[in-house]
Amino acid sequence: MKKVLLAGAVRPRLGALYCALLTFIIACSYILSAQGNRSKKVRYDVLKALDTALVEFRYRYICTDHMQHSSEAVLQVGKRMTKFQAIGDYFSDSLMVVHGGKYYTWDEVDKIESVLPRRGYYPGWHLIDNYPKGKTTIIEYVPRDFYCSEEERALPQWTIMSDSVRQVMGYTCQMARTELHGRRWTAWFASSVKLPYGPWLLRGLPGLVVWAYDDDKEFDILLLGKTNRKSIIGIEDRVYVRAPRESVLKIRRRFLEEAPGIVKRMTGVKVDGDIKPIKRRYNPIRRIQTP
């Protein structure tokens, strides 16, 4: 794995990490050490524009690890690529479009970001499909690095059930089935919406995926609405660690399993005694294939 410098940025967007106390401790330590003098001006994170989305689809995103989480996610569809991410990170992108590259004090940054939702950071990764051309890029933050994984763009092998039709969220949908990264998926797609896209990697059908869920009922993704408007599809300019996606999943799992020790090494905070470590079942949408 190697780090690649795209550009400088101020501080990480913590995304789904806000939901875990141990990660919160690390984040606070990292941010406070970076802030130092709060009157000093810092450069706001920059979003590098890649494409312009012409339409956006908002999904309810339910996932289950040690408990069930319900959030919202946004699928931006542009001429050359799509981007799928948590709604909180989508709002963060919007702030970077307005403020990126400008200099603010930390108090000013806090005021700018006070409009961000406290919840809504599942999934904890961003997926840009067909970027670079012919590839899929997935970004995920694990303290204290941002990881970037690039893979060849491959479509799922779908089996369309021509005799299975139902109404979903006002759309007449047809069922399709596939196996993808260790899970069996059912997807209901609307051929009336002639876009071969959907949440995560669930694309390649002759219509938009309106509803998708896995056989184990651990992931359930449902279309809530559509908005016709232009928005920037972009990627943060920062230092990334380039690594295969499978490796990043293992790094995330190790972080969760060894969080108490990592907290102590990174922050000096000892997690024992009256402070009980949070036991979390790591259950990514893409199952880890090797030990």
Side-chain angles (χ1 to χ4, degrees), residues 61-72:
Y61 187 94
I62 294 178
C63 58
T64 304
D65 42 39
H66 65 294
M67 62 180 292
Q68 188 178 89
H69 308 275
S70 181
S71 183
E72 290 186 15

Side-chain angles (χ1 to χ4, degrees), residues 235-253:
I235 187 171
E236 283 188 70
D237 280 351
R238 62 166 63 253
V239 175
Y240 288 97
V241 177
R242 301 282 181 174
R245 184 61 182 156
E246 181 85 358
S247 298
V248 178
L249 295 176
K250 291 178 181 178
I251 291 168
R252 162 68 72 170
R253 181 178 64 185

Side-chain angles (χ1 to χ4, degrees), residues 136-139 147-151 241-246 248:
T136 298
T137 295
I138 305 171
I139 305 293
Y147 291 88
C148 178
S149 306
E150 286 184 10
E151 301 177 330
V241 177
R242 301 282 181 174
R245 184 61 182 156
E246 181 85 358
V248 178

Side-chain angles (χ1 to χ4, degrees), residues 129-146:
D129 193 32
N130 204 35
Y131 173 77
K133 187 175 181 179
K135 295 189 176 182
T136 298
T137 295
I138 305 171
I139 305 293
E140 183 166 4
Y141 175 69
V142 184
R144 297 183 176 178
D145 291 306
F146 279 84

Side-chain angles (χ1 to χ4, degrees), residues 51-121:
D51 196 3
T52 300
L54 304 176
V55 60
E56 299 171 351
F57 297 94
R58 185 167 52 91
Y59 287 86
R60 183 199 67 194
Y61 187 94
I62 294 178
C63 58
T64 304
D65 42 39
H66 65 294
M67 62 180 292
Q68 188 178 89
H69 308 275
S70 181
S71 183
E72 290 186 15
V74 177
L75 174 66
Q76 297 171 277
V77 178
K79 291 182 178 180
R80 300 187 302 275
M81 65 192 68
T82 65
K83 184 175 184 180
F84 184 73
Q85 64 182 338
I87 195 167
D89 292 327
Y90 166 80
F91 288 145
S92 292
D93 280 2
S94 300
L95 291 182
M96 285 189 284
V97 170
V98 175
H99 301 285
K102 299 177 182 178
Y103 285 81
Y104 299 97
T105 66
W106 283 107
D107 287 336
E108 290 171 333
V109 170
D110 289 344
K111 184 176 181 180
I112 290 169
E113 296 185 348
S114 66
V115 299
L116 293 176
R118 293 185 178 273
R119 303 180 66 181
Y121 290 94

Side-chain angles (χ1 to χ4, degrees), residues 4 35 41 50 61 69 74 81 88 123 150 155 165 173 177-178 182 184 191 201 226 256 258 266 272:
V4 179
Q35 288 182 2
K41 291 198 172 184
L50 304 174
Y61 187 94
H69 308 275
V74 177
M81 65 192 68
E150 286 184 10
L155 298 178
V165 178
C173 294
R177 297 271 292 164
T178 192
R184 289 285 300 169
S191 57
L201 296 171
K226 169 188 174 184
L256 292 174
E258 302 179 9
M266 294 176 66
D272 62 6

